Short mmCIF file of all heavy atoms in Angstrom, two decimals:
data_model
loop_
_atom_site.label_atom_id
_atom_site.label_comp_id
_atom_site.label_asym_id
_atom_site.label_seq_id
_atom_site.Cartn_x
_atom_site.Cartn_y
_atom_site.Cartn_z
N GLY A 1077 -42.54 -109.53 110.71
CA GLY A 1077 -43.50 -109.51 111.81
C GLY A 1077 -44.27 -108.30 112.04
O GLY A 1077 -45.09 -108.19 112.97
N VAL A 1078 -44.08 -107.24 111.24
CA VAL A 1078 -44.82 -106.01 111.38
C VAL A 1078 -46.28 -106.17 111.07
O VAL A 1078 -46.62 -106.85 110.08
CB VAL A 1078 -44.30 -104.87 110.48
CG1 VAL A 1078 -45.16 -103.65 110.45
CG2 VAL A 1078 -42.92 -104.40 110.97
N ARG A 1079 -47.17 -105.74 111.93
CA ARG A 1079 -48.57 -105.87 111.80
C ARG A 1079 -49.23 -104.54 112.04
O ARG A 1079 -48.96 -103.90 113.08
CB ARG A 1079 -49.14 -106.97 112.64
CG ARG A 1079 -50.63 -107.24 112.48
CD ARG A 1079 -51.10 -108.13 113.58
NE ARG A 1079 -52.49 -108.37 113.58
CZ ARG A 1079 -53.25 -108.74 114.54
NH1 ARG A 1079 -52.67 -109.02 115.73
NH2 ARG A 1079 -54.55 -108.85 114.53
N VAL A 1080 -50.24 -104.12 111.21
CA VAL A 1080 -50.94 -102.84 111.41
C VAL A 1080 -52.41 -103.20 111.71
O VAL A 1080 -53.07 -103.91 110.97
CB VAL A 1080 -50.84 -101.91 110.14
CG1 VAL A 1080 -51.62 -100.67 110.41
CG2 VAL A 1080 -49.40 -101.61 109.80
N ILE A 1081 -52.89 -102.71 112.88
CA ILE A 1081 -54.20 -103.02 113.32
C ILE A 1081 -55.13 -101.79 113.11
O ILE A 1081 -54.75 -100.74 113.50
CB ILE A 1081 -54.20 -103.34 114.82
CG1 ILE A 1081 -53.33 -104.57 115.08
CG2 ILE A 1081 -55.64 -103.67 115.31
CD1 ILE A 1081 -53.19 -104.95 116.47
N PRO A 1082 -56.28 -101.89 112.39
CA PRO A 1082 -57.16 -100.69 112.25
C PRO A 1082 -57.72 -100.40 113.63
O PRO A 1082 -57.63 -101.18 114.59
CB PRO A 1082 -58.21 -101.28 111.31
CG PRO A 1082 -58.15 -102.75 111.38
CD PRO A 1082 -56.74 -103.07 111.76
N PRO A 1083 -58.34 -99.17 113.80
CA PRO A 1083 -58.87 -98.77 115.08
C PRO A 1083 -59.74 -99.92 115.59
O PRO A 1083 -60.84 -100.19 115.01
CB PRO A 1083 -59.71 -97.56 114.73
CG PRO A 1083 -58.93 -96.94 113.57
CD PRO A 1083 -58.51 -98.15 112.75
N PRO A 1084 -59.45 -100.50 116.74
CA PRO A 1084 -60.22 -101.66 117.32
C PRO A 1084 -61.67 -101.35 117.54
O PRO A 1084 -62.50 -102.22 117.45
CB PRO A 1084 -59.44 -101.96 118.65
CG PRO A 1084 -58.09 -101.32 118.48
CD PRO A 1084 -58.26 -100.17 117.60
N CYS A 1085 -61.93 -100.07 117.99
CA CYS A 1085 -63.34 -99.76 118.29
C CYS A 1085 -63.75 -98.49 117.52
O CYS A 1085 -64.55 -97.69 117.96
CB CYS A 1085 -63.45 -99.51 119.80
SG CYS A 1085 -62.92 -100.82 120.82
N GLY A 1086 -63.25 -98.38 116.26
CA GLY A 1086 -63.59 -97.30 115.40
C GLY A 1086 -63.24 -95.93 115.98
O GLY A 1086 -62.14 -95.80 116.59
N VAL A 1087 -64.12 -94.96 115.89
CA VAL A 1087 -63.82 -93.62 116.31
C VAL A 1087 -63.78 -93.51 117.84
O VAL A 1087 -63.27 -92.53 118.41
CB VAL A 1087 -64.82 -92.59 115.75
CG1 VAL A 1087 -64.74 -92.52 114.29
CG2 VAL A 1087 -66.27 -92.89 116.28
N ASP A 1088 -64.24 -94.51 118.50
CA ASP A 1088 -64.31 -94.53 120.00
C ASP A 1088 -63.18 -95.34 120.68
O ASP A 1088 -63.33 -95.79 121.79
CB ASP A 1088 -65.68 -95.01 120.48
CG ASP A 1088 -66.88 -94.23 119.94
OD1 ASP A 1088 -66.67 -93.01 119.71
OD2 ASP A 1088 -67.90 -94.76 119.72
N THR A 1089 -62.19 -95.61 119.93
CA THR A 1089 -61.12 -96.48 120.39
C THR A 1089 -60.51 -96.09 121.71
O THR A 1089 -60.48 -96.91 122.70
CB THR A 1089 -59.95 -96.74 119.39
OG1 THR A 1089 -60.49 -97.37 118.21
CG2 THR A 1089 -58.78 -97.46 119.85
N SER A 1090 -60.12 -94.83 121.94
CA SER A 1090 -59.56 -94.39 123.16
C SER A 1090 -60.53 -94.48 124.32
O SER A 1090 -60.24 -94.83 125.46
CB SER A 1090 -59.02 -93.02 123.02
OG SER A 1090 -57.92 -92.95 122.15
N TRP A 1091 -61.82 -94.14 123.99
CA TRP A 1091 -62.91 -94.24 125.07
C TRP A 1091 -62.96 -95.71 125.50
O TRP A 1091 -63.11 -95.90 126.76
CB TRP A 1091 -64.22 -93.84 124.44
CG TRP A 1091 -65.27 -93.65 125.48
CD1 TRP A 1091 -65.62 -92.49 126.11
CD2 TRP A 1091 -66.24 -94.68 125.92
NE1 TRP A 1091 -66.69 -92.72 126.97
CE2 TRP A 1091 -67.00 -93.99 126.87
CE3 TRP A 1091 -66.40 -95.99 125.65
CZ2 TRP A 1091 -68.10 -94.71 127.52
CZ3 TRP A 1091 -67.43 -96.70 126.28
CH2 TRP A 1091 -68.24 -96.02 127.26
N HIS A 1092 -62.92 -96.72 124.70
CA HIS A 1092 -63.01 -98.10 125.05
C HIS A 1092 -61.77 -98.57 125.83
O HIS A 1092 -61.85 -99.39 126.66
CB HIS A 1092 -63.27 -98.94 123.81
CG HIS A 1092 -64.68 -98.95 123.39
ND1 HIS A 1092 -65.65 -99.73 123.88
CD2 HIS A 1092 -65.35 -98.19 122.45
CE1 HIS A 1092 -66.81 -99.54 123.40
NE2 HIS A 1092 -66.67 -98.58 122.48
N GLY A 1093 -60.60 -97.92 125.53
CA GLY A 1093 -59.44 -98.16 126.28
C GLY A 1093 -59.60 -97.74 127.79
O GLY A 1093 -59.21 -98.46 128.67
N ALA A 1094 -60.25 -96.58 127.92
CA ALA A 1094 -60.53 -96.05 129.23
C ALA A 1094 -61.56 -96.97 129.94
O ALA A 1094 -61.48 -97.17 131.19
CB ALA A 1094 -61.06 -94.63 129.13
N LYS A 1095 -62.44 -97.54 129.18
CA LYS A 1095 -63.50 -98.41 129.81
C LYS A 1095 -62.91 -99.61 130.39
O LYS A 1095 -63.27 -100.16 131.43
CB LYS A 1095 -64.48 -98.74 128.74
CG LYS A 1095 -65.62 -99.67 129.21
CD LYS A 1095 -66.62 -100.01 128.06
CE LYS A 1095 -67.56 -101.05 128.61
NZ LYS A 1095 -68.61 -101.44 127.51
N LEU A 1096 -61.83 -100.21 129.70
CA LEU A 1096 -61.11 -101.38 130.24
C LEU A 1096 -60.64 -101.03 131.62
O LEU A 1096 -60.73 -101.93 132.55
CB LEU A 1096 -59.97 -101.75 129.34
CG LEU A 1096 -60.27 -102.48 128.06
CD1 LEU A 1096 -58.99 -102.80 127.31
CD2 LEU A 1096 -61.12 -103.69 128.26
N ILE A 1097 -59.99 -99.88 131.79
CA ILE A 1097 -59.44 -99.48 133.09
C ILE A 1097 -60.52 -99.30 134.14
O ILE A 1097 -60.46 -99.80 135.27
CB ILE A 1097 -58.57 -98.27 132.97
CG1 ILE A 1097 -57.35 -98.46 132.08
CG2 ILE A 1097 -58.23 -97.70 134.36
CD1 ILE A 1097 -56.55 -97.22 131.83
N SER A 1098 -61.62 -98.57 133.78
CA SER A 1098 -62.65 -98.25 134.70
C SER A 1098 -63.50 -99.39 135.21
O SER A 1098 -64.28 -99.31 136.21
CB SER A 1098 -63.48 -97.09 134.17
OG SER A 1098 -64.19 -97.54 132.93
#
Side-chain angles (χ1 to χ4, degrees):
V1078 167
R1079 181 188 174 203
V1080 180
I1081 301 175
C1085 306
V1087 297
D1088 301 329
T1089 292
S1090 294
W1091 190 92
H1092 280 274
K1095 180 180 175 180
L1096 284 184
I1097 293 175
S1098 58

